[in-house]
Coordinates of all heavy atoms in Angstrom, one line a residue:
M19 N 150.0 -93.2 29.8 CA 149.6 -93.9 31.0 C 148.1 -94.5 30.8 O 147.2 -93.7 30.5 CB 149.6 -93.0 32.2 CG 149.3 -93.7 33.5 SD 149.3 -92.5 34.9 CE 151.1 -92.2 35.1
N20 N 148.0 -95.8 31.0 CA 146.6 -96.3 30.8 C 145.9 -96.3 32.1 O 146.5 -96.0 33.2 CB 146.6 -97.7 30.2 CG 147.3 -98.7 31.1 OD1 147.1 -98.7 32.3 ND2 148.0 -99.7 30.5
S21 N 144.6 -96.6 32.1 CA 143.8 -96.4 33.4 C 144.2 -97.4 34.5 O 144.1 -97.1 35.7 CB 142.3 -96.7 33.1 OG 142.1 -97.9 32.5
N22 N 144.8 -98.6 34.1 CA 145.3 -99.5 35.1 C 146.4 -99.0 35.9 O 146.5 -99.1 37.1 CB 145.7 -100.8 34.5 CG 144.5 -101.7 34.3 OD1 143.4 -101.6 34.9 ND2 144.6 -102.7 33.4
E23 N 147.4 -98.4 35.2 CA 148.5 -97.8 35.8 C 148.1 -96.6 36.7 O 148.6 -96.5 37.8 CB 149.5 -97.3 34.8 CG 150.4 -98.4 34.2 CD 151.2 -97.8 33.0 OE1 151.3 -96.6 32.7 OE2 151.8 -98.7 32.3
L24 N 147.2 -95.9 36.3 CA 146.7 -94.8 37.0 C 146.1 -95.3 38.4 O 146.2 -94.7 39.4 CB 145.7 -93.9 36.3 CG 145.2 -92.6 36.9 CD1 146.4 -91.7 37.0 CD2 144.1 -91.9 36.0
L25 N 145.2 -96.3 38.2 CA 144.6 -96.9 39.3 C 145.6 -97.5 40.3 O 145.5 -97.3 41.6 CB 143.7 -98.1 39.0 CG 142.6 -98.5 39.9 CD1 141.6 -97.4 40.2 CD2 141.9 -99.8 39.4
N26 N 146.7 -98.1 39.8 CA 147.7 -98.7 40.7 C 148.4 -97.5 41.4 O 148.7 -97.7 42.7 CB 148.7 -99.4 39.9 CG 148.1 -100.8 39.5 OD1 147.2 -101.3 40.0 ND2 148.7 -101.4 38.5
D27 N 148.7 -96.5 40.7 CA 149.4 -95.3 41.3 C 148.6 -94.8 42.4 O 149.1 -94.5 43.6 CB 149.7 -94.2 40.3 CG 150.9 -94.4 39.5 OD1 151.6 -95.3 39.9 OD2 151.1 -93.6 38.6
H28 N 147.3 -94.6 42.1 CA 146.3 -94.1 43.1 C 146.3 -95.0 44.3 O 146.3 -94.5 45.5 CB 145.0 -94.0 42.4 CG 144.0 -93.1 43.2 ND1 143.3 -93.5 44.2 CD2 143.6 -91.8 42.9 CE1 142.5 -92.5 44.6 NE2 142.7 -91.4 43.8
Q29 N 146.3 -96.2 44.2 CA 146.2 -97.2 45.3 C 147.4 -97.1 46.1 O 147.4 -97.1 47.3 CB 146.0 -98.6 44.7 CG 145.7 -99.7 45.8 CD 144.4 -99.3 46.6 OE1 143.4 -99.1 46.0 NE2 144.6 -99.3 47.9
I30 N 148.6 -97.1 45.4 CA 149.9 -97.1 46.1 C 150.0 -95.8 47.0 O 150.3 -95.9 48.1 CB 151.1 -97.2 45.1 CG1 151.1 -98.6 44.4 CG2 152.4 -96.9 45.7 CD1 151.9 -98.7 43.2
I31 N 149.7 -94.7 46.4 CA 149.7 -93.4 47.1 C 148.8 -93.4 48.2 O 149.2 -92.9 49.3 CB 149.5 -92.3 46.1 CG1 150.6 -92.2 45.0 CG2 149.5 -90.9 46.8 CD1 150.2 -91.4 43.7
T32 N 147.6 -93.9 48.0 CA 146.6 -93.9 49.1 C 147.0 -94.7 50.3 O 146.9 -94.3 51.4 CB 145.2 -94.5 48.5 OG1 144.8 -93.6 47.4 CG2 144.1 -94.3 49.6
D33 N 147.7 -95.9 49.9 CA 148.2 -96.7 50.9 C 149.4 -96.1 51.8 O 149.4 -96.2 53.0 CB 148.8 -98.1 50.3 CG 147.7 -99.0 49.9 OD1 146.5 -98.8 50.2 OD2 147.9 -100.0 49.2
L34 N 150.2 -95.4 51.0 CA 151.3 -94.7 51.7 C 150.8 -93.6 52.6 O 151.3 -93.5 53.8 CB 152.2 -94.1 50.7 CG 153.2 -95.0 49.9 CD1 153.9 -94.2 48.7 CD2 154.4 -95.5 50.9
I35 N 149.8 -92.8 52.1 CA 149.2 -91.8 53.0 C 148.5 -92.4 54.2 O 148.7 -91.9 55.3 CB 148.2 -90.9 52.1 CG1 149.0 -90.1 51.0 CG2 147.5 -90.0 53.0 CD1 148.0 -89.5 50.1
G36 N 147.8 -93.5 54.0 CA 147.2 -94.2 55.1 C 148.1 -94.7 56.1 O 148.0 -94.5 57.3
N37 N 149.2 -95.3 55.6 CA 150.2 -95.9 56.5 C 150.9 -94.7 57.3 O 151.1 -94.8 58.6 CB 151.3 -96.5 55.8 CG 150.9 -97.9 55.3 OD1 149.8 -98.5 55.7 ND2 151.6 -98.5 54.3
A38 N 151.3 -93.7 56.7 CA 151.9 -92.5 57.3 C 150.9 -91.8 58.3 O 151.4 -91.5 59.4 CB 152.3 -91.5 56.2
A39 N 149.7 -91.8 58.0 CA 148.8 -91.1 58.9 C 148.5 -92.0 60.2 O 148.2 -91.4 61.2 CB 147.4 -91.0 58.2
H40 N 148.7 -93.3 60.1 CA 148.5 -94.1 61.2 C 149.7 -94.3 62.0 O 149.7 -95.1 63.0 CB 147.8 -95.4 60.8 CG 146.3 -95.2 60.4 ND1 146.0 -95.3 59.1 CD2 145.3 -94.8 61.1 CE1 144.7 -95.0 59.0 NE2 144.3 -94.7 60.1
C41 N 150.9 -93.8 61.6 CA 152.2 -94.1 62.1 C 152.4 -93.0 63.2 O 152.1 -91.8 62.8 CB 153.1 -94.1 61.0 SG 154.7 -95.0 61.4
P42 N 152.9 -93.3 64.3 CA 153.3 -92.2 65.2 C 154.3 -91.2 64.5 O 155.2 -91.7 63.8 CB 154.0 -92.8 66.4 CG 153.6 -94.3 66.3 CD 153.3 -94.6 64.8
A43 N 154.2 -90.0 64.7 CA 155.0 -89.0 64.1 C 156.5 -89.2 64.3 O 157.4 -88.9 63.5 CB 154.6 -87.6 64.5
E44 N 156.8 -89.8 65.6 CA 158.3 -89.9 65.9 C 158.8 -91.1 65.2 O 160.0 -91.3 65.2 CB 158.4 -90.0 67.4 CG 157.7 -91.2 68.0 CD 156.3 -90.7 68.5 OE1 155.7 -89.7 67.9 OE2 155.6 -91.4 69.3
D45 N 158.0 -91.9 64.7 CA 158.5 -93.1 63.8 C 159.0 -92.5 62.5 O 158.3 -91.9 61.7 CB 157.4 -94.0 63.5 CG 157.8 -95.3 62.9 OD1 158.8 -95.3 62.1 OD2 157.3 -96.4 63.2
P46 N 160.3 -92.7 62.2 CA 160.9 -92.1 61.0 C 160.2 -92.6 59.7 O 160.3 -91.9 58.7 CB 162.4 -92.6 61.0 CG 162.5 -93.6 62.1 CD 161.4 -93.5 63.0
R47 N 159.6 -93.8 59.8 CA 158.9 -94.2 58.5 C 157.7 -93.2 58.2 O 157.4 -93.2 57.0 CB 158.3 -95.7 58.8 CG 159.4 -96.7 58.9 CD 158.8 -98.0 59.2 NE 158.1 -98.0 60.5 CZ 157.3 -99.0 60.8 NH1 157.2 -100.1 60.2 NH2 156.6 -98.8 62.1
A48 N 157.1 -92.7 59.2 CA 155.9 -91.8 58.9 C 156.2 -90.7 58.0 O 155.5 -90.6 56.9 CB 155.4 -91.2 60.2
A49 N 157.3 -90.0 58.2 CA 157.7 -88.9 57.3 C 158.2 -89.4 55.9 O 157.9 -88.9 54.9 CB 158.8 -88.1 57.9
R50 N 158.9 -90.6 56.0 CA 159.3 -91.1 54.7 C 158.1 -91.6 53.8 O 158.2 -91.3 52.7 CB 160.2 -92.4 55.1 CG 161.1 -92.8 53.9 CD 162.2 -93.7 54.4 NE 161.7 -95.0 54.8 CZ 162.1 -95.9 55.8 NH1 162.9 -95.3 56.6 NH2 161.5 -96.9 56.0
W51 N 157.1 -92.2 54.3 CA 156.0 -92.6 53.6 C 155.2 -91.4 53.0 O 154.8 -91.5 51.9 CB 155.1 -93.5 54.5 CG 155.6 -94.9 54.7 CD1 156.4 -95.6 53.9 CD2 155.3 -95.8 55.8 NE1 156.6 -96.8 54.4 CE2 156.0 -96.9 55.6 CE3 154.4 -95.6 56.9 CZ2 155.9 -98.1 56.4 CZ3 154.4 -96.7 57.8 CH2 155.1 -97.9 57.6
A52 N 155.0 -90.5 53.9 CA 154.3 -89.3 53.4 C 155.1 -88.5 52.3 O 154.5 -88.1 51.4 CB 154.1 -88.3 54.6
T53 N 156.4 -88.5 52.5 CA 157.2 -87.8 51.5 C 157.1 -88.6 50.1 O 157.0 -88.0 49.1 CB 158.7 -87.7 51.9 OG1 158.7 -87.0 53.2 CG2 159.6 -87.0 50.9
E54 N 157.2 -90.0 50.3 CA 157.1 -90.7 49.1 C 155.7 -90.6 48.4 O 155.7 -90.5 47.1 CB 157.3 -92.2 49.5 CG 157.8 -93.1 48.3 CD 158.0 -94.5 48.8 OE1 158.5 -94.8 49.9 OE2 157.8 -95.4 48.0
A55 N 154.7 -90.5 49.2 CA 153.4 -90.3 48.6 C 153.3 -89.0 47.9 O 152.7 -88.9 46.8 CB 152.4 -90.4 49.8
L56 N 153.9 -88.0 48.5 CA 153.9 -86.6 47.9 C 154.6 -86.6 46.6 O 154.2 -86.1 45.6 CB 154.5 -85.6 48.8 CG 154.5 -84.1 48.4 CD1 153.1 -83.6 48.0 CD2 155.2 -83.2 49.4
V57 N 155.7 -87.3 46.5 CA 156.5 -87.4 45.3 C 155.8 -88.1 44.2 O 155.8 -87.7 43.0 CB 157.9 -88.1 45.6 CG1 158.6 -88.4 44.2 CG2 158.8 -87.2 46.4
L58 N 155.2 -89.3 44.6 CA 154.4 -90.0 43.5 C 153.2 -89.3 43.1 O 152.8 -89.3 41.9 CB 154.0 -91.4 44.2 CG 155.2 -92.4 44.4 CD1 154.6 -93.7 45.2 CD2 155.8 -92.8 43.1
A59 N 152.5 -88.7 44.0 CA 151.3 -87.9 43.6 C 151.6 -86.7 42.7 O 150.9 -86.4 41.8 CB 150.6 -87.4 45.0
S60 N 152.7 -86.1 43.0 CA 153.2 -85.1 42.2 C 153.6 -85.5 40.8 O 153.1 -84.9 39.7 CB 154.5 -84.3 42.7 OG 154.1 -83.8 44.0
A61 N 154.3 -86.7 40.7 CA 154.6 -87.3 39.4 C 153.4 -87.7 38.6 O 153.3 -87.6 37.4 CB 155.6 -88.4 39.6
A62 N 152.4 -88.1 39.3 CA 151.2 -88.7 38.7 C 150.2 -87.6 38.5 O 149.1 -87.7 37.9 CB 150.6 -89.9 39.5
E63 N 150.5 -86.4 39.0 CA 149.6 -85.2 38.8 C 148.2 -85.4 39.4 O 147.2 -85.4 38.7 CB 149.6 -84.7 37.4 CG 150.9 -84.2 36.9 CD 150.9 -83.8 35.4 OE1 149.9 -83.5 35.0 OE2 152.0 -83.7 34.9
L64 N 148.2 -85.9 40.6 CA 146.9 -86.2 41.3 C 146.8 -85.2 42.4 O 147.3 -85.4 43.6 CB 146.9 -87.6 41.9 CG 147.0 -88.7 40.8 CD1 147.3 -90.0 41.5 CD2 145.7 -88.8 40.0
P65 N 146.2 -84.0 42.2 CA 146.1 -82.9 43.1 C 145.4 -83.2 44.4 O 145.9 -82.8 45.4 CB 145.3 -81.8 42.4 CG 145.0 -82.3 41.0 CD 145.4 -83.7 40.9
I66 N 144.5 -84.1 44.4 CA 143.8 -84.3 45.7 C 144.7 -85.1 46.7 O 144.8 -84.9 47.9 CB 142.5 -85.2 45.5 CG1 141.5 -84.2 44.7 CG2 141.9 -85.6 46.8 CD1 140.2 -84.9 44.2
L67 N 145.5 -86.0 46.0 CA 146.4 -86.9 46.8 C 147.6 -86.0 47.2 O 148.2 -86.2 48.3 CB 146.8 -88.1 46.0 CG 145.7 -89.1 45.8 CD1 146.3 -90.3 45.0 CD2 145.1 -89.6 47.1
I68 N 148.0 -85.1 46.4 CA 149.1 -84.2 46.7 C 148.7 -83.4 48.0 O 149.5 -83.3 48.9 CB 149.4 -83.2 45.6 CG1 150.0 -83.9 44.4 CG2 150.4 -82.1 46.1 CD1 150.1 -83.0 43.1
E69 N 147.4 -82.9 48.0 CA 147.0 -82.2 49.2 C 146.9 -83.1 50.4 O 147.3 -82.6 51.4 CB 145.6 -81.7 48.8 CG 145.2 -80.4 49.4 CD 144.0 -79.8 48.8 OE1 144.0 -79.3 47.8 OE2 142.9 -79.9 49.5
E70 N 146.5 -84.3 50.3 CA 146.4 -85.2 51.4 C 147.8 -85.5 51.9 O 148.0 -85.5 53.1 CB 145.7 -86.5 51.0 CG 144.2 -86.4 51.0 CD 143.6 -87.7 50.7 OE1 144.2 -88.8 51.1 OE2 142.5 -87.8 50.0
A71 N 148.7 -85.7 51.0 CA 150.1 -86.1 51.4 C 150.8 -84.9 52.2 O 151.4 -85.0 53.1 CB 150.9 -86.5 50.2
E72 N 150.5 -83.7 51.6 CA 151.0 -82.5 52.2 C 150.5 -82.3 53.6 O 151.1 -81.9 54.6 CB 150.8 -81.2 51.3 CG 151.7 -81.1 50.2 CD 151.4 -79.9 49.3 OE1 150.2 -79.5 49.3 OE2 152.2 -79.6 48.4
G73 N 149.2 -82.6 53.8 CA 148.5 -82.5 55.0 C 149.1 -83.4 56.0 O 149.4 -83.0 57.2
V74 N 149.4 -84.7 55.6 CA 149.9 -85.6 56.6 C 151.3 -85.2 56.9 O 151.8 -85.3 58.0 CB 149.9 -87.1 56.0 CG1 150.6 -88.0 56.9 CG2 148.4 -87.5 55.8
L75 N 152.0 -84.9 55.9 CA 153.5 -84.5 56.1 C 153.5 -83.2 57.1 O 154.4 -83.2 57.9 CB 154.1 -84.2 54.8 CG 155.7 -84.1 54.7 CD1 156.3 -85.4 55.3 CD2 156.1 -83.9 53.3
G76 N 152.6 -82.3 56.9 CA 152.6 -81.1 57.7 C 152.3 -81.5 59.2 O 152.9 -80.9 60.1
R77 N 151.4 -82.4 59.3 CA 151.0 -82.9 60.7 C 152.3 -83.6 61.4 O 152.6 -83.3 62.6 CB 149.8 -83.8 60.7 CG 149.1 -84.0 62.0 CD 149.6 -85.3 62.7 NE 149.4 -86.4 61.8 CZ 150.0 -87.6 62.0 NH1 150.8 -87.8 63.0 NH2 149.8 -88.6 61.2
I78 N 152.9 -84.4 60.6 CA 154.1 -85.2 61.1 C 155.2 -84.1 61.4 O 155.8 -84.2 62.5 CB 154.6 -86.2 60.1 CG1 153.6 -87.3 59.9 CG2 155.9 -86.7 60.5 CD1 153.8 -88.1 58.7
T79 N 155.5 -83.2 60.6 CA 156.5 -82.3 60.9 C 156.1 -81.4 62.1 O 157.0 -81.2 62.9 CB 156.6 -81.3 59.7 OG1 156.9 -82.0 58.5 CG2 157.8 -80.3 59.8
H80 N 154.9 -81.0 62.3 CA 154.5 -80.3 63.4 C 154.7 -81.1 64.6 O 155.2 -80.6 65.6 CB 153.0 -79.8 63.3 CG 152.4 -79.5 64.6 ND1 151.8 -80.4 65.4 CD2 152.6 -78.3 65.4 CE1 151.4 -79.8 66.5 NE2 151.9 -78.6 66.5
D81 N 154.2 -82.4 64.6 CA 154.3 -83.2 65.8 C 155.7 -83.5 66.3 O 155.9 -83.7 67.5 CB 153.5 -84.6 65.6 CG 152.0 -84.4 65.4 OD1 151.6 -83.2 65.7 OD2 151.3 -85.4 65.2
T82 N 156.6 -83.5 65.4 CA 158.0 -83.8 65.7 C 158.8 -82.5 66.1 O 159.8 -82.6 66.7 CB 158.7 -84.5 64.7 OG1 158.6 -83.9 63.4 CG2 158.2 -86.0 64.5
T83 N 158.3 -81.3 65.7 CA 159.1 -80.2 66.0 C 158.5 -79.1 66.8 O 159.1 -78.2 67.3 CB 159.5 -79.5 64.7 OG1 158.3 -79.1 63.9 CG2 160.3 -80.4 63.6
C84 N 157.1 -79.2 67.0 CA 156.5 -78.1 67.7 C 156.8 -78.1 69.2 O 156.5 -79.1 69.9 CB 155.0 -78.2 67.5 SG 154.1 -76.8 68.3
R85 N 157.5 -77.1 69.7 CA 157.8 -77.1 71.1 C 156.7 -76.8 71.9 O 156.6 -77.3 73.1 CB 158.9 -76.0 71.3 CG 160.2 -76.4 70.6 CD 161.4 -75.4 70.9 NE 160.9 -74.1 70.4 CZ 161.6 -72.9 70.8 NH1 162.6 -73.0 71.6 NH2 161.3 -71.8 70.3
W86 N 155.7 -76.1 71.5 CA 154.5 -75.7 72.3 C 153.7 -77.0 72.6 O 153.3 -77.3 73.7 CB 153.7 -74.7 71.6 CG 152.6 -74.2 72.4 CD1 152.7 -73.2 73.5 CD2 151.2 -74.4 72.4 NE1 151.5 -73.0 74.0 CE2 150.5 -73.7 73.4 CE3 150.5 -75.3 71.5 CZ2 149.2 -73.8 73.5 CZ3 149.0 -75.4 71.7 CH2 148.4 -74.7 72.7
C87 N 153.5 -77.8 71.5 CA 152.7 -79.0 71.7 C 153.4 -80.1 72.5 O 152.8 -81.0 73.0 CB 152.2 -79.5 70.3 SG 150.9 -78.4 69.6
N88 N 154.8 -80.0 72.4 CA 155.6 -80.9 73.2 C 155.8 -80.4 74.6 O 156.6 -81.0 75.4 CB 156.8 -81.2 72.5 CG 156.6 -82.2 71.3 OD1 155.9 -83.1 71.4 ND2 157.1 -81.8 70.1
R89 N 155.1 -79.3 75.0 CA 155.0 -78.8 76.3 C 156.5 -78.4 76.8 O 156.8 -78.5 77.9 CB 154.4 -79.7 77.3 CG 153.0 -80.1 76.9 CD 152.3 -81.1 77.8 NE 151.1 -81.6 77.4 CZ 150.0 -80.9 77.4 NH1 149.9 -79.7 77.8 NH2 148.9 -81.5 76.8
Q90 N 157.3 -77.9 75.9 CA 158.6 -77.3 76.4 C 158.4 -76.1 77.2 O 157.7 -75.2 76.7 CB 159.4 -77.0 75.1 CG 160.8 -76.5 75.5 CD 161.8 -76.5 74.4 OE1 161.9 -77.4 73.7 NE2 162.5 -75.4 74.2
P91 N 158.9 -76.0 78.4 CA 158.7 -74.8 79.2 C 159.1 -73.6 78.5 O 160.2 -73.6 77.9 CB 159.6 -75.1 80.5 CG 159.8 -76.6 80.5 CD 159.7 -77.0 79.0
G92 N 158.4 -72.5 78.5 CA 158.7 -71.3 78.0 C 158.4 -71.2 76.5 O 158.5 -70.0 75.9
A93 N 158.0 -72.3 75.8 CA 157.7 -72.2 74.5 C 156.3 -71.5 74.2 O 155.4 -71.8 75.1 CB 157.7 -73.6 73.7
S94 N 156.2 -70.7 73.2 CA 154.9 -70.1 73.0 C 154.2 -70.7 71.8 O 154.9 -71.4 71.0 CB 155.0 -68.6 72.8 OG 155.9 -68.3 71.7
I95 N 152.9 -70.6 71.7 CA 152.2 -71.2 70.5 C 152.7 -70.5 69.2 O 152.6 -69.2 69.2 CB 150.7 -71.1 70.8 CG1 150.0 -71.9 69.6 CG2 150.2 -69.7 70.8 CD1 148.5 -72.2 69.9
P96 N 153.1 -71.3 68.3 CA 153.6 -70.7 67.0 C 152.4 -69.9 66.3 O 151.3 -70.4 66.3 CB 153.9 -71.9 66.2 CG 154.1 -73.0 67.1 CD 153.1 -72.7 68.2
V97 N 152.8 -68.7 65.7 CA 151.7 -67.9 65.1 C 151.2 -68.6 63.9 O 151.9 -69.1 63.1 CB 152.4 -66.6 64.8 CG1 151.4 -65.7 64.0 CG2 152.8 -65.8 66.0
G98 N 149.9 -68.6 63.8 CA 149.2 -69.2 62.6 C 149.3 -70.7 62.5 O 149.2 -71.2 61.3
S99 N 149.7 -71.4 63.5 CA 149.9 -72.8 63.3 C 148.5 -73.5 63.3 O 147.7 -73.5 64.2 CB 150.7 -73.5 64.4 OG 150.6 -74.9 64.4
F100 N 148.3 -74.2 62.2 CA 147.0 -74.9 62.0 C 146.9 -76.1 63.0 O 145.9 -76.3 63.5 CB 146.8 -75.4 60.5 CG 145.7 -76.4 60.3 CD1 144.4 -75.9 60.1 CD2 146.0 -77.7 60.3 CE1 143.4 -76.8 59.9 CE2 144.9 -78.7 60.0 CZ 143.6 -78.1 59.9
W101 N 148.1 -76.8 63.1 CA 148.0 -78.0 63.8 C 147.9 -77.9 65.3 O 147.5 -78.8 66.0 CB 149.3 -79.0 63.4 CG 149.3 -79.2 62.0 CD1 150.0 -78.7 61.0 CD2 148.4 -80.1 61.3 NE1 149.7 -79.3 59.8 CE2 148.7 -80.1 60.0 CE3 147.4 -81.0 61.8 CZ2 148.0 -80.9 59.1 CZ3 146.7 -81.8 60.9 CH2 147.0 -81.7 59.6
C102 N 148.5 -76.8 65.8 CA 148.4 -76.6 67.3 C 147.0 -76.4 67.8 O 146.6 -76.7 68.9 CB 149.2 -75.3 67.7 SG 150.9 -75.5 67.4
T103 N 146.1 -75.9 66.9 CA 144.7 -75.8 67.4 C 143.8 -76.9 67.0 O 142.6 -76.8 67.1 CB 144.2 -74.4 66.8 OG1 144.4 -74.4 65.4 CG2 144.9 -73.3 67.4
H104 N 144.4 -78.0 66.4 CA 143.5 -79.1 66.1 C 144.0 -80.4 66.8 O 145.1 -80.5 67.2 CB 143.6 -79.3 64.6 CG 142.8 -78.3 63.8 ND1 143.3 -77.0 63.6 CD2 141.6 -78.2 63.2 CE1 142.5 -76.2 63.0 NE2 141.4 -77.0 62.8
Ligands
ZN16 ZN1 152.0 -77.2 67.9

């Protein structure tokens, strides 16, 4: 892999993470973009971008599934949830 390809990968992954981060979690594209970024970052072995993609994906997953944050009556705050307290 030459440096141009690496730069392109980096740019593509950064764009995907940025798009996913600015997309409402309930938009199905958000999880798709974050997942794609994670796959590409893993393939390109870019640990910082893997971490960022995982972070965005974690937030999206939380926002779409957390009953406590969606104010479901009777739901309790999940134990050890990073996203509920941020
Ligand atoms: Zn929550």
Side-chain angles (χ1 to χ4, degrees):
M19 182 184 286
N20 66 37
S21 59
N22 276 340
E23 281 171 11
L24 190 62
L25 195 67
N26 286 341
D27 276 355
H28 197 279
Q29 189 60 52
I30 291 164
I31 297 162
T32 305
D33 285 350
L34 283 167
I35 293 171
N37 286 346
H40 291 108
C41 204
E44 58 271 21
D45 188 326
R47 290 176 303 171
R50 201 166 69 220
W51 285 334
T53 304
E54 203 178 327
L56 182 57
V57 170
L58 291 175
S60 302
E63 295 177 19
L64 297 166
I66 293 165
L67 293 181
I68 291 171
E69 210 167 286
E70 278 185 32
E72 281 176 343
V74 172
L75 196 55
R77 195 263 303 163
I78 293 166
T79 304
H80 163 266
D81 287 358
T82 51
T83 60
C84 185
R85 293 184 298 167
W86 189 75
C87 290
N88 287 312
R89 300 179 193 284
Q90 178 165 316
S94 56
I95 186 167
V97 175
S99 172
F100 171 82
W101 297 107
C102 292
T103 51
H104 288 77

